[in-house]
Amino acid sequence: DADVTQTPRNRITKTGKRIMLECSQTKGHDRMYWYRQDPGLGLRLIYYSFDVKDINKGEISDGYSVSRQAQAKFSLSLESAIPNQTALYFCATSDLDGARGYTFGSGTRLTVV
Amino acid sequence: AQSVTQLDSQVPVFEEAPVELRCNYSSSVSVYLFWYVQYPNQGLQLLLKYLSGSTLVESINGFEAEFNKSQTSFHLRKPSVHISDTAEYFCAVNAFTNSGYALNFGKGTSLLVTP
């Protein structure tokens, strides 16, 4: 099994719909992250969580919300999807200071039509 | 705040030629530096990292990167590339936020290796 599992892998949704992307990890790390990848822009941080009770906004949090249901689970929601949220979304996890590297999921390709 | 600049968005190169992908970072504190690779239609894989100690770090597939503190650079090099090295390469720095560290990425460099 993968260390970080994202579901769904691909999703097409309509403008205005609410959608949730899920992430679970088996690394036992407290820290989890959501990134968005757009061509030519690299990966940008949406939200991050350093433990179950800690949620922080990243660089581009507007239009998104998150929920940390457990140490291993961190979900990302788009309350009302819009076309410019079409992107590849990655979940990641790390140890305390990232010294061992960040482990990424395989990504969710989201298309908003 | 720490930031990362990848100086080339695309690097075309012939097979078996050497390549250098450039990365500069800005930070006033000690940092951890990473290179990640993304093969077509796949997720991100850690290629190599610098934490401390020797400034030259190597990956298992022939890439190396050198941490240069005075030039705030962490360029990635390979003496002879293969077709299979075609991918997107991301430089990243462990950036300190309000309550801890998060990974801050450059915009990526697309390496295209042709015969």
Side-chain angles (χ1 to χ4, degrees):
Chain A
D1 290 339
D3 293 327
V4 180
T5 302
Q6 291 184 235
T7 56
R9 291 295 307 274
N10 292 280
R11 181 72 181 267
I12 300 174
T13 192
K14 294 183 177 180
T15 298
K17 292 291 188 181
R18 184 179 188 276
I19 182 169
M20 178 182 291
L21 310 183
E22 299 190 4
C23 175
S24 62
Q25 53 102 353
T26 58
K27 300 285 285 186
H29 291 160
D30 287 327
R31 303 186 171 217
M32 296 187 74
Y33 313 81
W34 275 104
Y35 287 89
R36 165 180 173 159
Q37 183 182 11
D38 298 279
L41 296 180
L43 282 83
R44 293 178 292 168
L45 185 62
I46 306 172
Y47 269 96
Y48 56 102
S49 169
F50 288 158
D51 64 41
V52 175
K53 297 180 181 179
D54 177 79
I55 301 289
N56 302 281
K57 292 183 177 181
E59 179 187 353
I60 53 165
S61 60
D62 288 348
Y64 301 94
S65 62
V66 290
S67 173
R68 186 78 185 267
Q69 300 95 324
Q71 185 202 40
K73 296 183 182 298
F74 190 39
S75 60
L76 176 72
S77 294
L78 286 68
E79 298 301 326
S80 179
I82 57 176
N84 76 359
Q85 291 177 312
T86 293
L88 185 56
Y89 290 84
F90 286 103
C91 175
T93 186
S94 77
D95 60 349
L96 184 64
D97 61 359
R100 298 178 187 173
Y102 291 65
T103 304
F104 284 81
S106 299
T108 294
R109 186 167 297 279
L110 177 67
T111 303
V112 183
V113 297
Chain B
Q2 295 91 338
S3 67
V4 179
T5 302
Q6 291 184 246
L7 297 160
D8 306 294
S9 59
Q10 294 183 334
V11 174
V13 64
F14 290 113
E15 191 176 19
E16 297 183 4
V19 70
E20 178 180 80
L21 307 184
R22 297 179 293 169
C23 173
N24 286 91
Y25 69 94
S26 66
S27 175
S28 59
V29 298
S30 297
V31 295
Y32 297 155
L33 293 159
F34 304 85
W35 276 98
Y36 279 83
V37 59
Q38 184 180 32
Y39 297 104
N41 300 311
Q42 294 189 25
L44 281 86
Q45 301 175 29
L46 179 64
L47 190 59
L48 45 76
K49 62 184 178 183
Y50 171 78
L51 305 179
S52 64
S54 174
T55 58
L56 186 66
V57 290
E58 299 176 350
S59 72
I60 58 173
N61 59 351
F63 282 95
E64 63 179 30
E66 186 164 18
F67 170 63
N68 188 319
K69 187 175 182 179
S70 63
Q71 297 185 5
T72 59
S73 68
F74 191 53
H75 301 331
L76 182 70
R77 303 183 183 97
K78 189 170 185 179
S80 176
V81 294
H82 302 292
I83 299 288
S84 60
D85 292 324
T86 293
E88 190 85 13
Y89 292 80
F90 294 98
C91 182
V93 62
N94 217 21
F96 190 77
T97 65
N98 289 337
S99 48
Y101 290 93
L103 207 55
N104 208 16
F105 284 89
K107 293 184 178 181
T109 297
S110 179
L111 176 64
L112 178 60
V113 182
T114 55

